[in-house]
Amino acid sequence: QLDVDAAAVTMRDGVITSAQIDSVQAKVTFDASGVITGGKDTPDGPIHTKNMLGEQYGMKAWGGAIAEWNEQAASFAAYITGKTAADVAGIAVDETTKPTDADLLTSVTIKIGDFQALIAKACN
């Protein structure tokens, strides 16, 4: 499995004006000779990002989450709009990198440490 997270931001005068975050967990299988036997464009079907999967990702159905991954990522992106990279880096998190800010916790309960790192890189 290959996990890839990506973020894109637009900025004006050091302030984030928009942000988009997505992730993919590419589960690809290989045969003994190294040929891909499962995953993208194979009998298993295409690989979709978490945003593409939406409710099919199953966080609400299987884990009882407040919202699906794509909804939480969009909420985080909306939350950081209007902030600087330093503001995003300073968002308080617990030891598992889940947010501790009461306002943010109303819509984002997933780990955001990787999001913060992505935004820092995207803003440079």
Side-chain angles (χ1 to χ4, degrees):
Q1 175 173 309
L2 172 66
D3 296 342
V4 179
D5 299 318
V9 298
T10 59
M11 299 181 73
R12 182 178 180 117
D13 300 326
V15 176
I16 297 167
T17 57
S18 68
Q20 178 77 28
I21 299 169
D22 205 351
S23 182
V24 65
Q25 292 176 314
K27 296 176 183 174
V28 179
T29 56
F30 300 87
D31 67 15
S33 65
V35 174
I36 296 175
T37 59
K40 185 174 178 61
D41 301 325
T42 68
D44 292 346
I47 296 170
H48 295 294
T49 70
K50 291 180 181 181
N51 283 342
M52 292 168 69
L53 289 170
E55 287 200 21
Q56 292 177 3
Y57 188 64
M59 284 181 57
K60 289 192 290 188
W62 296 104
I66 63 168
E68 287 298 337
W69 188 96
N70 64 305
E71 295 166 321
Q72 293 192 46
S75 291
F76 180 80
Y79 181 82
I80 65 169
T81 298
K83 295 181 176 9
T84 66
D87 294 335
V88 175
I91 296 171
V93 297
D94 67 15
E95 64 279 353
T96 67
T97 76
K98 290 184 179 181
T100 59
D101 178 273
D103 289 336
L104 186 56
L105 275 171
T106 64
S107 61
V108 180
T109 58
I110 58 178
K111 297 176 184 179
I112 62 165
D114 288 344
F115 292 176
Q116 288 172 299
L118 285 170
I119 297 303
K121 288 180 183 178
C123 289
N124 285 331

